[in-house]
Amino acid sequence: MKETKYKEIHNHLKGQIQQGNYQIGDYLPSENELCVRFSITRTTARKALDELAKESFIERQHGKGSRVKERRQSLGLLNVKGFSEAVGEDIKTLFLRKPAAGKWDSEIMLPVNDSDLNSICLYFERIRFVGNEPVMLEKNWFSGQVLPDFLCSEFIEGSFFKTLSKKYFIEIIGSSQELRAELACGKNAGLLKVKTGTPLLHISVKFSTSNSKLNIYSELYCVTSVYPVGNSYFI
Amino acid sequence: MKETKYKEIHNHLKGQIQQGNYQIGDYLPSENELCVRFSITRTTARKALDELAKESFIERQHGKGSRVKERRQSLGLLNVKGFSEAVGEDIKTLFLRKPAAGKWDSEIMLPVNDSDLNSICLYFERIRFVGNEPVMLEKNWFSGQVLPDFLCSEFIEGSFFKTLSKKYFIEIIGSSQELRAELACGKNAGLLKVKTGTPLLHISVKFSTSNSKLNIYSELYCVTSVYPVGNSYFI
DNA sequence: TAGTGGTCTAGACCACGGT
DNA sequence: CCGTGGTCTAGACCACTAG
């Protein structure tokens, strides 16, 4: 498995940013400078920088350069932050199923890419608690194709997204979502310790990542009576 | 103002897809074919196709081609787009109350700014239909302070946000939201023509605008059984 | 094996921003 | 003016898919 040149440059620069060698507002080396420093052509340098821009680490400014941006946290609804950073209280996580081989379930509401359907499906499922109250049932599917050793590893700081970023250098670059209000079926009601027929907020999300072979499909069932699902978005 | 070549190709292909000349599952011309047909190089052809992929009109398949994807339509969550631009179908709007003086109701779930509380409150309320099905009950409160003549004017293209933008040059710059799944109370059930006890998605939004004196508070009640509320966000 | 997309080279001209 | 990023050409080799 050989890494491409542009990914090498891309990861190098991303690492520099994450380590703080380039601060917010700083300018990265220009395309031409990267060409010299890494013995590549502009096409390759551009590709590396374009990827960084797509992941919103930098902002390209015509005539000026590539400036390190503040990374926006909110991604549509549930954020990149995910649950662990979103609730300021005492939260716990219980794995109902640790990451393992699964199947592309029909429970996934958003259309699954063909390329995903043709590859191995990994799955995990957990319940999130605030205090001792279960507030969210979370089911996640994704292609195992691009995540070697995923099954063996623990999550970094309990966060799936952090693990993707720090261990595999994969960033979330977008999401689409569908929201439904539903009545809890017996099974979900049991898991969330509510009565059957309690209204649940059902969130279907498909996350796109900087690795085009990795999409993450999630189905979330939330008890919203005490803790509504919130988010904010600012330009 | 000259259009770039890749944008020209990109728009041409997008038009073909939108007009149905390429159906879902069809393959677009290969990169090499585009090169010949439009007298361009592969770099340019690729750029056009990459843009289409980024907009999720197509899926790139190594060794096969560029396949037209399904783009699911659903009710756009009021991020900035608003309802009228989000749904591609036959939508109608019925005003239950045209914009008029109102009061800062306790139904508003998100905290109202003090400066708003101290100024005149305008209010309007409408029901959104897809076809003949009511799908959303929408209640809006905002300060009338900065919108002279607002009561007299019609909405531009039926859109509140467009009216703000084109007539008053005010843009939405942010929002916070809370989501709840609730059971329809008698009144809302009646308006939305569902049974009491049907689960409704209750969205509370507070929009901030480019005019710091204007905040918009909305309470939305959505029937999600047929048209889930959707949104997507890409960096 | 032929055709496809993915990566890369080595150039070129242009539009933009600041000096 | 120079350096920046944006577009584009004309090639090349590779990896993947399918017959």
Side-chain angles (χ1 to χ4, degrees), chain A residues 32-110:
Chain A
N32 284 315
E33 187 160 347
L34 290 176
C35 295
V36 184
R37 205 185 289 179
F38 294 95
S39 304
I40 52 176
T41 55
R42 259 192 77 204
T43 312
T44 309
R46 276 185 68 74
K47 179 95 179 172
L49 291 171
D50 284 343
E51 288 292 308
L52 280 178
K54 204 160 86 175
E55 296 168 10
S56 79
F57 279 100
I58 62 170
E59 191 178 11
R60 310 280 249 130
Q61 296 172 316
H62 195 166
K64 295 182 76 177
S66 300
R67 210 174 66 105
V68 177
K69 263 202 334 186
E70 183 173 5
R71 237 168 105 61
R72 195 180 313 309
Q73 289 294 355
S74 123
L75 254 196
L77 212 63
L78 263 202
N79 307 332
V80 175
K81 289 166 47 175
F83 192 84
S84 22
E85 295 152 64
V87 181
E89 301 184 48
D90 167 37
I91 64 160
K92 281 174 239 154
T93 301
L94 170 68
F95 273 88
L96 296 181
R97 281 197 48 185
K98 294 234 175 193
K103 65 184 212 307
W104 296 108
D105 205 288
S106 61
E107 188 176 349
I108 304 174
M109 299 297 287
L110 292 165

Side-chain angles (χ1 to χ4, degrees), chain A residues 7-184:
Chain A
K7 272 185 192 155
E8 191 186 320
I9 316 294
H10 169 259
N11 283 334
H12 170 77
L13 292 172
K14 195 200 286 191
Q16 297 277 306
I17 294 172
Q18 283 176 331
Q19 289 164 35
N21 298 355
Y22 292 104
Q23 303 280 338
I24 289 166
D26 290 354
Y27 284 88
L28 259 41
S30 75
E31 299 179 355
N32 284 315
E33 187 160 347
L34 290 176
C35 295
V36 184
R37 205 185 289 179
F38 294 95
S39 304
I40 52 176
T41 55
R42 259 192 77 204
T43 312
T44 309
R46 276 185 68 74
K47 179 95 179 172
L49 291 171
D50 284 343
E51 288 292 308
L52 280 178
K54 204 160 86 175
E55 296 168 10
S56 79
F57 279 100
I58 62 170
E59 191 178 11
R60 310 280 249 130
Q61 296 172 316
H62 195 166
K64 295 182 76 177
S66 300
R67 210 174 66 105
V68 177
K69 263 202 334 186
E70 183 173 5
R71 237 168 105 61
R72 195 180 313 309
Q73 289 294 355
S74 123
L75 254 196
L77 212 63
L78 263 202
N79 307 332
V80 175
K81 289 166 47 175
F83 192 84
S84 22
E85 295 152 64
V87 181
E89 301 184 48
D90 167 37
I91 64 160
K92 281 174 239 154
T93 301
L94 170 68
F95 273 88
L96 296 181
R97 281 197 48 185
K98 294 234 175 193
K103 65 184 212 307
W104 296 108
D105 205 288
S106 61
E107 188 176 349
I108 304 174
M109 299 297 287
L110 292 165
V112 179
N113 290 14
D114 285 347
S115 51
D116 289 324
L117 285 175
N118 292 326
S119 71
I120 286 182
C121 173
L122 296 185
Y123 177 73
F124 67 96
E125 181 177 339
R126 28 185 198 178
I127 293 190
R128 308 296 202 136
F129 294 79
V130 174
N132 292 312
E133 301 294 321
V135 294
M136 188 196 293
L137 170 62
E138 183 196 316
K139 305 179 177 188
N140 306 280
W141 295 261
F142 56 98
S143 159
Q145 203 176 357
V146 292
L147 300 180
D149 310 327
F150 188 83
L151 301 182
C152 321
S153 69
E154 288 291 316
F155 283 4
I156 295 174
E157 296 172 41
S159 163
F160 182 43
F161 290 141
K162 267 194 190 155
T163 308
L164 287 182
S165 172
K166 306 236 156 145
K167 184 164 177 194
Y168 300 97
F169 299 105
I170 294 174
E171 308 298 328
I172 305 294
I173 59 170
S175 69
S176 9
Q177 299 169 1
E178 283 184 0
L179 307 172
R180 294 175 176 80
E182 294 176 350
L183 302 180

Side-chain angles (χ1 to χ4, degrees), chain B residues 109-176:
Chain B
M109 299 297 286
L110 293 164
V112 179
N113 290 13
D114 284 347
S115 54
D116 290 324
L117 284 175
N118 292 326
S119 72
I120 286 182
C121 173
L122 296 186
Y123 178 74
F124 68 96
E125 181 177 339
R126 27 185 198 179
I127 293 189
R128 307 294 202 137
F129 294 79
V130 174
N132 292 312
E133 300 295 320
V135 294
M136 187 195 293
L137 170 61
E138 180 196 319
K139 305 179 177 189
N140 306 279
W141 295 261
F142 55 99
S143 158
Q145 205 177 354
V146 292
L147 300 178
D149 311 325
F150 186 83
L151 302 182
C152 321
S153 69
E154 289 292 317
F155 283 2
I156 295 173
E157 297 171 40
S159 163
F160 182 43
F161 289 144
K162 267 195 190 155
T163 308
L164 288 181
S165 171
K166 306 230 161 151
K167 185 163 176 194
Y168 299 96
F169 301 104
I170 294 175
E171 309 297 329
I172 306 295
I173 58 169
S175 68
S176 15

Side-chain angles (χ1 to χ4, degrees), chain B residues 5-6 41-44 62-64:
Chain B
K5 285 194 186 179
Y6 82 83
T41 54
R42 260 191 77 203
T43 314
T44 309
H62 195 167
K64 295 181 77 177

